[in-house]
């Protein structure tokens, strides 16, 4: 289409954020309300505009251009596409400001009689999702623009005298006004910022007011700013913008009182339509009472559990029995949050629900045999800024009303998170997205809020002033047989000057400490018994005991690893003092591991290496796992991508640095590899010593585990590992 140049005078141009430019000026032809905008011939974004004609017949406009990264561009040609596909060419911009006060001042100077119309246009332009939400770091220029226009255009008209918040963040306001419109209308609430809200309002008679004024009751849709921070409430009256000032001695109702107060006022309100609007607004407010059981339709709902991870989101598990499809939406609300659940939930078979209601008269004849998909699991991500103690509820939207169900959320304790994982179906076709979008971030946020495992040291056996090495032997199950490990070390001269830290983590047997004390005295070993009851796995136990390690070198040793000969510790020490492996950095601190064999002498560990597969995917593989030991031909130490946390010697300072940035996982499987990658990220390297060989017993778990929970934990841990190391793996 051919361009149509316009005769336009851009009086002011202001950047409201990185992507939004606001224009004010005069123009000779109408501008489209919503259209594409092109910068230098490219279709880059959207234009939204509004025009008005002043008393002299001159046409003026306000427009907002939304283009990603606009603040960093210097376009020489700006074109707006009109309704007929033709391009309107605007003049080149020469003086773009960042202070919204410049645009307000220009309007006040050039079009003082049109400030109200300009505010109308600005509210429309900046309220749509196409124009974004703005950035707090931009100095809230949108708020400053709307506030500046409101202060110029709005005139006082009454007072707000009573205010009370509903549980969902909506606000009830009672006061008086000359011109507040009855029925539904938008308002601007001026507090620390200025935001638009929908409202329902109705007048009522007050004998203390002049004839042209009346009492006012209005309900503002939330979440609205806290009542004690509100300075003005602006509204569009028949004769322009007006505002309610806040009465000096205004009354702030206690939380939960607003519903009852507004309901008591219904009988005084004037105008049937306005009264119905207020009544509907009150009915749509949650007041802490369950109302699903009062629905006069075959709809019932129940909750099995709800878990909230503050800052991340909510998990809800329950059932909804709705054979006639009467429910149009299921929404979780609270603390300023609103999120649909039913658009993305997973349905589960719940025959127990079908059986429970099979003889209920309301559901008789409506429950189809075999149609038992009443259960659901759902997630809702929460926005930032919701308080930790916020209350939540479910809202069921029906054709003729709304019903509520309180949503008591459990804190993210270990037991609650395990129950949450156990409720999710690992065979769902959407499980990868569920893990990446909901479970992973929720569990990562929950883990970040957990304190590091605490520990208490109990010295046992003989005292040792300067240990040669600190051996950390983590115990996180019900075993009592670590005396076998202590006996093997007592029989090896390498451990004569070693301190041995036996770490009692979660699940350890109550007799473990007594057994360790007896063995330490019998074998004359220097033993520290570290009580760390909150350490859930071996590496958490290592982290808990590390502050008690006094030697410069630390040996990580699983109770399942048993030596077959003496002197193996000396071999590891020589390797980390002077690494000579091919591919290793001579000056880098080293984490060294021996070869670990199963009891049948097949290979369990001979180094872990990164393997690139199809599509550039990188995985980590244990070399020769399960092969006979004769397959190992290497003789000298080899650089590998990861050592084995089951048996590894490394400098204490390197281990401390690696542990300082530890990722948390649900299972222990990825933690050893994760530690090795953190060692390398801290500047270390990993070595494997082929000729040093120990036996690693392949033990079965001592406690029964839920297979479904194990599968879900593995899926989440795979995501967590990939998220943490994807940049390093890609490199």
């Amino acid at each position: 289409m051919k361009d149509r140049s316009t005769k336009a005078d851009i009086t002011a141009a202001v950047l409201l954020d990185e992507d939004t430019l606001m224009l004010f000026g005069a123009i000779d032809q109408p501008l489209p309300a919503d259209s594409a905008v092109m910068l230098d011939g490219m279709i880059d974004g959207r234009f939204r505009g509004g025009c008005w004609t002043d008393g002299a017949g001159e046409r003026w406009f306000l427009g907002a251009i939304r283009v990603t990264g606009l603040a960093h561009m210097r376009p020489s040609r700006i074109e707006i596409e009109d309704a007929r596909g033709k391009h309107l060419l605007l003049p080149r911009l020469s003086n773009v400001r960042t202070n919204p006060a410049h645009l307000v001042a220009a309007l006040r100077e050039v079009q003082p009689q049109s400030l109200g119309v300009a505010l109308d246009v600005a509210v429309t332009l900046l309220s749509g999702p196409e124009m974004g939400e703005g950035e707090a770091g931009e100095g809230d220029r949108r708020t400053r623009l709307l506030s500046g226009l409101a202060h110029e255009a709005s005139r006082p008209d009454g007072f707000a005298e009573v205010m009370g918040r509903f549980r969902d963040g909506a606000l009830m306001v009672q006061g008086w006004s000359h011109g507040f419109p009855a029925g539904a209308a938008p308002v601007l609430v001026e507090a620390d910022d200025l935001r638009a809200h929908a409202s329902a309002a109705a007048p009522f008679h007050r004998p203390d007011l002049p004839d042209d004024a009346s009492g006012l009751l209005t309900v503002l849709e939330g979440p609205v700013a806290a009542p004690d921070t509100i300075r003005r409430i602006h509204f569009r009256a028949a004769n322009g913008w007006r505002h309610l000032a806040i009465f000096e001695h205004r009354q702030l109702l206690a939380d939960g009182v607003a519903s009852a107060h507004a309901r008591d006022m219904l009988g005084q309100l004037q105008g049937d339509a306005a009264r119905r609007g207020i009544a509907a607004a009150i009915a749509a407010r949650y007041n802490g009472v369950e109302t699903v059981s009062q629905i006069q339709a075959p709809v019932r709902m129940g909750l099995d559990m709800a878990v909230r991870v503050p800052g991340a989101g909510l998990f809800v598990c329950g059932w909804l029995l709705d054979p006639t499809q009467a429910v149009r939406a299921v929404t979780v609300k609270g603390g300023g949050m609103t999120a649909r659940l039913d658009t993305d939930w997973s349905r589960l078979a719940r025959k127990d629900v079908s059986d429970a209601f099979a003889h209920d008269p309301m559901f008789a004849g409506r429950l189809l045999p075999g149609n038992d998909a009443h259960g659901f699991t759902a997630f809702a991500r929460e926005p930032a800024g919701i308080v930790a103690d916020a209350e939540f509820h479910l809202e069921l939207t029906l054709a003729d009303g709304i019903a509520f169900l309180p949503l008591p959320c459990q804190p993210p304790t270990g037991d609650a998170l395990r129950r949450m994982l156990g409720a999710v179906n690992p065979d769902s076709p959407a499980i990868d997205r569920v893990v990446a979008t909901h479970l992973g971030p929720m569990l990562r946020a929950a883990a970040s809020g957990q304190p590091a495992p605490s520990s208490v040291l109990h010295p046992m056996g003989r005292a040792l002033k300067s240990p040669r090495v600190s051996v950390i032997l983590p115990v996180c199950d019900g075993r009592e047989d670590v005396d076998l490990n202590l006996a093997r070390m007592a029989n090896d001269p390498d451990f004569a000057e070693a301190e041995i830290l036996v770490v009692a983590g979660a699940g350890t047997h109550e007799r473990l400490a007594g057994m360790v004390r007896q063995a330490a005295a019998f074998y004359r070993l220097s033993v520290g018994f570290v009580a760390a009851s909150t350490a859930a796995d071996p590496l958490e136990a290592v982290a808990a005991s590390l502050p008690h390690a006094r030697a410069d070198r630390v040996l990580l040793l699983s109770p399942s690893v048993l030596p077959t000969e003496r002197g193996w510790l000396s071999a590891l020490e020589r390797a980390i003092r002077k690494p000579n492996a091919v591919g290793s950095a001579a000056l880098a601190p080293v984490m060294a591991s021996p070869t670990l064999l199963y009891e049948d002498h097949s290979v369990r560990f001979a180094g872990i290496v990164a393997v690139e597969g199809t599509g550039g995917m990188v995985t980590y593989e244990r070399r020769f796992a399960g092969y006979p030991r004769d397959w190992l031909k290497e003789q000298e130490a080899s650089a590998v991508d990861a050592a084995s946390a089951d048996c590894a010697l490394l400098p204490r300072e390197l281990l401390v640095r690696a542990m300082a940035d530890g990722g948390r996982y649900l299972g222990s499987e990825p933690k050893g590899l994760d530690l090795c990658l953190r060692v390398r990220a801290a500047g270390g390297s990993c070595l494997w010593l082929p000729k040093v060989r120990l036996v690693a017993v392949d033990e079965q778990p001592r406690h029964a585990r839920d297979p479904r929970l194990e599968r879900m934990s593995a899926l989440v841990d795979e995501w967590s590992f990939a998220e943490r190391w994807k940049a390093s793996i890609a490199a």
Side-chain angles (χ1 to χ4, degrees), residues 4 36 78 149 155 159 237 314 316 319 326 338 351 364 445-446 466 487 534-535 538 542 560 592 610 630 659 662:
R4 289 192 296 150
I78 301 176
L149 288 174
R155 299 291 175 261
F159 285 89
L314 289 79
V316 184
W319 53 268
T338 299
K351 191 174 185 305
S466 299
T534 60
V542 169
S560 300
D630 296 338
M659 284 286 190

Side-chain angles (χ1 to χ4, degrees), residues 9-292:
D9 178 16
I10 307 299
T11 307
V14 174
L15 272 170
L16 295 186
D17 57 42
E18 289 291 299
D19 306 324
T20 309
L21 177 68
M22 199 79 173
L23 304 176
F24 162 61
I27 195 164
D28 67 343
Q29 55 190 291
L31 286 173
D34 191 346
S35 66
V37 65
M38 282 140 283
L39 306 183
D40 294 331
M42 301 293 291
I43 299 178
D44 288 300
R46 302 300 298 176
F47 171 84
R48 297 180 68 195
C51 296
W52 68 91
T53 303
D54 64 14
E58 190 171 5
R59 181 181 287 110
W60 296 83
F61 80 97
L62 272 178
I65 293 175
R66 175 79 174 177
V67 175
T68 302
L70 180 60
H72 306 288
M73 301 178 185
R74 295 292 184 269
S76 60
R77 185 181 180 89
I78 301 176
E79 301 165 78
I80 298 168
E81 188 175 78
D82 69 10
R84 291 174 291 178
K86 292 188 176 182
H87 294 174
L88 307 178
L89 181 63
L90 296 182
R92 185 171 181 174
L93 304 179
S94 59
N95 189 14
V96 178
R97 308 288 188 92
T98 57
N99 188 351
H102 171 67
L103 192 148
V104 176
L107 271 161
R108 184 177 59 239
E109 178 181 352
V110 179
Q111 282 284 289
Q113 74 282 7
S114 302
L115 283 166
V117 178
L119 180 56
D120 290 336
V121 174
V123 169
T124 301
L125 294 184
L126 300 180
S127 62
E130 302 88 349
M131 290 294 124
E133 294 296 330
E135 299 288 342
E138 306 287 344
D140 295 323
R141 298 177 206 157
R142 293 164 180 260
T143 294
R144 287 158 53 198
L145 175 61
L146 290 174
S147 296
L149 288 174
H151 274 259
E152 293 292 339
S154 183
R155 299 291 175 261
D157 185 337
F159 285 89
E161 299 169 329
V162 181
M163 293 189 286
R165 296 193 77 171
F166 296 90
R167 284 176 175 261
D168 64 354
L171 182 70
M172 184 215 72
V173 178
Q174 180 183 328
W176 67 269
S177 167
H178 291 277
F180 202 105
V187 298
L188 300 176
V189 176
E190 179 185 337
D192 295 333
D193 58 7
L194 188 140
R195 294 185 180 275
H197 297 273
S199 75
F204 62 91
H205 176 68
R206 274 181 51 174
D208 61 322
L209 298 176
D211 292 341
D212 62 343
S214 62
L216 167 70
L217 184 73
T218 181
V219 176
L220 279 57
E221 293 293 328
V224 186
D228 57 353
T229 67
I230 295 176
R231 295 190 285 268
R232 290 178 178 177
I233 300 175
H234 302 273
F235 59 92
R236 193 60 159 98
N239 55 350
W241 281 91
R242 300 292 183 262
H243 65 260
L244 301 179
I246 308 303
F247 185 54
E248 182 181 1
H249 302 294
R250 85 277 191 243
Q251 180 182 1
L252 301 182
L253 300 179
D255 288 347
V257 177
S259 288
H261 181 87
R263 198 171 288 109
D264 290 342
M265 290 289 297
L266 285 176
Q268 304 178 44
L269 301 182
Q270 299 172 340
D272 291 342
R275 186 189 304 110
R276 286 195 298 271
I278 291 288
I282 297 171
R285 306 273 81 80
Y286 173 65
N287 61 9
V289 178
E290 181 272 323
T291 61
V292 173

Side-chain angles (χ1 to χ4, degrees), residues 397-710:
T397 304
L398 299 99
D400 57 352
I402 293 175
F404 303 102
L405 189 68
L407 189 64
C409 293
Q410 302 177 38
T413 61
D415 182 61
L417 294 175
R418 283 189 292 273
R419 287 183 62 206
M420 178 182 75
L421 279 176
V424 178
N425 179 15
D427 295 316
S428 167
I431 191 61
D432 290 340
R433 181 181 56 79
V434 169
V435 168
T437 305
H438 300 294
L439 277 176
M442 284 182 68
L443 291 165
R444 181 168 56 188
S448 66
Q450 298 296 320
S454 59
S455 62
V456 178
L457 175 67
H458 302 279
M460 297 178 180
R462 67 184 178 91
L464 190 62
K465 186 175 181 181
S466 299
R468 166 186 173 184
V469 65
S470 296
V471 182
I472 299 180
L473 195 74
V475 182
C476 295
D477 54 23
R479 71 175 68 232
E480 304 173 62
D481 55 357
V482 294
D483 55 339
L484 178 60
N485 302 88
L486 298 178
R488 295 290 180 99
M489 285 185 271
N491 195 38
D492 189 336
D494 279 357
F495 292 88
E497 299 300 313
E499 68 169 358
I500 303 167
L501 301 177
V502 179
V503 192
T508 53
H509 200 285
E510 60 182 5
R511 291 197 295 268
L512 182 66
M515 185 278 301
V516 170
R517 184 181 300 277
Q518 291 179 2
F522 182 81
Y523 295 116
R524 292 191 50 77
L525 293 170
S526 175
V527 177
F529 186 86
V530 181
S533 60
T534 60
D537 58 57
L539 281 176
E540 286 191 12
V542 169
S545 63
L546 200 51
H548 305 296
R550 295 181 293 145
D552 292 335
R553 292 185 292 276
V554 173
L555 174 66
L556 306 181
L557 186 63
S558 167
S560 300
V561 174
L562 300 172
T564 57
E565 56 189 15
R566 300 179 181 182
W568 60 274
L569 178 59
S570 295
L572 292 180
E573 287 180 312
R574 288 192 296 271
I576 71 170
R577 280 200 302 265
K578 189 178 180 182
N580 58 359
V582 175
S584 64
L587 299 179
V590 172
M591 178 180 184
S593 286
T595 299
L596 299 180
L597 303 174
Y598 288 107
E599 292 171 279
D600 64 357
H601 287 214
S602 61
V603 176
R604 178 170 182 163
F605 174 83
I608 295 176
V609 294
V611 177
E612 183 173 352
T614 57
M617 293 291 293
V618 175
T619 59
Y620 288 89
E621 295 182 0
R622 290 189 300 158
R623 298 196 307 168
F624 306 114
Y627 282 64
R629 64 179 177 180
D630 296 338
W631 279 70
L632 301 179
K633 305 301 183 183
E634 290 89 348
Q635 295 296 316
E636 302 300 327
S638 300
V640 290
D641 290 306
S644 172
D646 286 340
C647 184
L649 182 70
L650 70 166
R652 180 183 181 277
E653 187 270 337
L654 176 61
L655 182 59
V656 168
R657 276 189 287 144
M659 284 286 190
D661 187 30
R664 295 180 69 93
Y665 297 88
L666 299 174
S668 58
E669 183 66 26
K671 288 190 173 184
L673 176 57
D674 181 81
L675 173 63
C676 294
L677 294 181
R678 282 187 274 125
V679 162
R680 295 176 60 188
S685 61
C686 294
L687 287 184
W688 163 56
L689 277 64
K691 292 191 293 185
V692 182
R693 300 180 179 183
L694 290 80
V695 171
V697 180
D698 189 17
E699 296 183 301
Q700 297 299 315
R702 296 171 184 262
H703 305 289
R705 298 178 179 177
D706 181 352
R708 183 181 177 122
L709 179 59
E710 289 290 299

Side-chain angles (χ1 to χ4, degrees), residues 333-370:
K333 291 187 175 182
M337 170 183 169
T338 299
R340 284 281 296 271
L341 292 185
D342 57 307
T343 55
D344 194 33
W345 61 14
S346 297
R347 302 310 300 264
L348 309 171
R350 289 292 299 268
K351 191 174 185 305
D352 59 318
V353 176
S354 298
D355 293 343
F357 287 87
H359 303 292
D360 188 312
M362 186 174 290
F363 293 89
R366 292 188 169 99
L367 299 179
L368 300 178

